[in-house]
Amino acid sequence: MRNDFEKSYDVVVVGGGVAGVAAALAAARRGRRVALVEKTVLWGGLATTGIIFIYLPLCDGNGTQVTFGISEELLKAGMKYGPGDIPAGWETGRNLAEEKRYRTVFSPASMVLALDELLAESGCDLWLDTLLVDAECRSGRVESITVANKSGMGKLRAAAFVDASGDADLAFYAGASCPVAANALASWTLEYSEQDGGHLLAPTVRASIVGGSVDPDFTEPGINGRMVSEFVMAGRAEYRRRLTEEYTAGKSTRYTRFPLKVPAMADLRHTRRIQGGFTLQPGMEWQRFDDSIGVCADWRTTGKVWELPLRSLLPQELDNVIAAGRCISSHGDAWEVTRVIPVAALTGEAAGITAALAAERSCSAHEVPCPEVQSAMKLAGNPVHISELYPDK
């Protein structure tokens, strides 16, 4: 394989979505030399390129904020250059619906501008329009990744790597075991709608998955190149069908309702994940883990709060890779809780801190003392145990 360039860092983060941005910021703020690699030219991943522009709740729906740190920082950043509000009264409400909790709807473009600013201030080496194509792994340790961009193909070396690719691409290329799950078709679209005051932030979803059923075209677990193409085309075909149906029925016209932007990446929910030292399972809400690195709430309901064990971020077969975002080791209903934007940022921050500590100590990620990660997370404002928020638990 050709090698047109080569660079070395303390930490390389693969994937510039919310999880990767959080990881890069956390590692860089510890003074590490960090590279952030993103295949598109926009930071934010599904939140921006995928147009999934709802920053889900940081609170439990009963007035208690459970997620802080970089996750809260990014929520507020998304409103800096555009519209977005945190619902009034979320602190005093009880059994609140998701849209009334501590969350916001943001402009994807505004979020990109804010992430640009944060990353530029951090001093990270930024690699946009750069695609991961391979990983060199010896005895369970990733020595380098191969990337491709307009300069050709080259290697990026690091003491520690963060897999924030969303699909466990780095772990997969390194030869690690990557469990998979079935997907469901969804496609988000930014629309203009005259009847909604001249604007509309609206998701467009296949009717067959509304209510929790799974689209029969995408029940095969995992991900491959053909599936991604079919997934994207099917989502856009469904949106065209809905527009045509409205136009034909006279409910709207191409002047009163039309798309402003469609996703520039597949809005996948479940693909590959790492096989971690511990897999978070359904029913583990309120459970204490000695190695928890943060706390999150179930965005779909009230009364369910989760701790996130560091072991779920550490691939069993790779010494110097830490996962972040939806590819951490969680399963089933726990995957639904951990795959979303606020938790992606939370696990990204923990992954970046762990990677930075591994580089600082010249040790594997598994050898980083968990109390040091927890201490750093707390210093950044993150509670690491439920009992810090709920004394009776």
Side-chain angles (χ1 to χ4, degrees):
M1 188 176 289
R2 60 189 287 183
N3 188 23
D4 297 307
F5 56 87
E6 188 167 320
K7 298 277 187 177
S8 294
Y9 299 91
D10 297 319
V11 176
V12 169
V13 179
V14 176
V18 170
V21 168
L25 291 175
R29 288 171 180 176
R30 293 189 66 88
R32 299 300 92 197
R33 292 175 295 113
V34 179
L36 179 57
V37 178
E38 166 54 35
K39 63 184 178 182
T40 73
V41 296
L42 302 176
W43 310 115
L46 287 171
T48 57
T49 312
I51 321 182
I52 301 178
F53 40 80
I54 299 177
Y55 208 113
L56 289 168
L58 305 183
C59 70
D60 66 354
N62 288 318
T64 299
Q65 182 178 349
V66 300
T67 304
F68 298 78
I70 289 178
S71 186
E72 184 175 21
E73 179 182 2
L74 297 187
L75 180 148
K76 293 178 178 178
M79 300 183 287
K80 185 174 181 180
Y81 295 108
D85 295 292
I86 297 168
W90 69 266
E91 307 99 321
T92 56
R94 294 294 179 268
N95 297 314
L96 292 177
E98 177 265 314
E99 65 271 15
K100 295 182 179 180
R101 291 160 66 175
Y102 186 4
R103 49 85 91 177
T104 193
V105 176
F106 57 89
S107 158
S110 300
M111 177 67 84
V112 171
L113 295 180
L115 297 182
D116 281 348
E117 190 171 47
L118 288 171
L119 289 168
E121 291 170 352
S122 75
C124 292
D125 201 359
L126 306 177
W127 293 71
L128 288 167
D129 192 32
T130 300
L131 180 67
L132 170 73
V133 295
D134 202 3
E136 183 180 358
C137 185
R138 297 183 190 277
S139 302
R141 184 175 183 84
V142 174
E143 296 185 346
S144 68
I145 61 170
T146 300
V147 297
N149 60 24
K150 292 297 186 290
S151 294
M153 299 181 69
K155 292 185 181 295
L156 303 182
R157 300 186 180 276
F161 294 83
V162 174
D163 188 340
S165 64
D167 303 319
D169 287 340
L170 174 55
F172 178 75
Y173 287 142
S177 301
C178 294
V180 297
N183 222 311
L185 186 63
S187 180
W188 288 59
T189 304
L190 188 63
E191 287 187 329
Y192 173 91
S193 176
E194 191 172 278
Q195 62 201 71
D196 286 280
H199 68 283
L200 177 63
L201 302 180
T204 299
V205 183
R206 282 286 290 267
S208 53
I209 70 167
V210 172
S213 60
V214 177
D215 190 293
D217 295 334
F218 296 98
T219 55
E220 183 178 349
I223 185 172
N224 58 62
R226 173 54 56 187
M227 173 265 201
V228 171
S229 298
E230 292 173 350
F231 184 98
V232 170
M233 291 295 287
R236 294 204 291 252
E238 174 62 14
Y239 182 57
R240 292 198 309 273
R241 185 194 67 76
R242 291 188 177 197
L243 284 179
T244 301
E245 190 176 80
E246 282 219 3
Y247 295 167
T248 302
K251 295 179 180 178
S252 58
T253 72
R254 61 191 178 91
Y255 295 100
T256 61
R257 182 187 178 192
F258 53 85
L260 296 173
K261 194 176 190 307
V262 296
M265 64 184 292
D267 288 336
L268 297 164
R269 298 169 66 188
H270 301 150
T271 57
R272 290 189 295 252
R273 63 165 174 86
I274 66 160
Q275 183 62 60
F278 181 86
T279 300
L280 204 60
Q281 300 282 353
M284 289 183 172
E285 63 269 17
W286 298 110
Q287 186 166 330
R288 178 187 170 89
F289 300 103
D290 289 342
D291 64 335
S292 174
I293 48 76
V295 182
C296 68
D298 190 330
W299 57 276
R300 302 162 302 171
T301 186
T302 59
K304 290 187 178 182
V305 178
W306 300 66
E307 290 192 1
L308 302 167
L310 179 60
R311 289 165 293 163
S312 296
L313 279 60
L314 301 176
Q316 289 181 347
E317 302 160 84
L318 298 173
D319 288 342
N320 64 333
V321 174
I322 308 98
R326 74 177 184 202
C327 60
I328 69 168
S329 194
S330 60
H331 174 72
D333 204 51
W335 195 343
E336 294 291 343
V337 173
T338 59
R339 69 178 174 82
V340 296
I341 294 173
V343 190
L346 177 61
T347 55
E349 183 172 11
I353 287 171
T354 305
L357 286 168
E360 290 168 18
R361 299 169 69 97
S362 298
C363 67
S364 78
H366 296 263
E367 294 170 334
V368 172
C370 184
E372 289 195 27
V373 179
Q374 292 172 321
S375 177
M377 289 294 284
K378 288 183 179 182
L379 190 62
N382 300 284
V384 300
H385 289 298
I386 289 171
S387 58
E388 297 169 46
L389 298 162
Y390 305 88
D392 58 334
K393 294 292 183 181

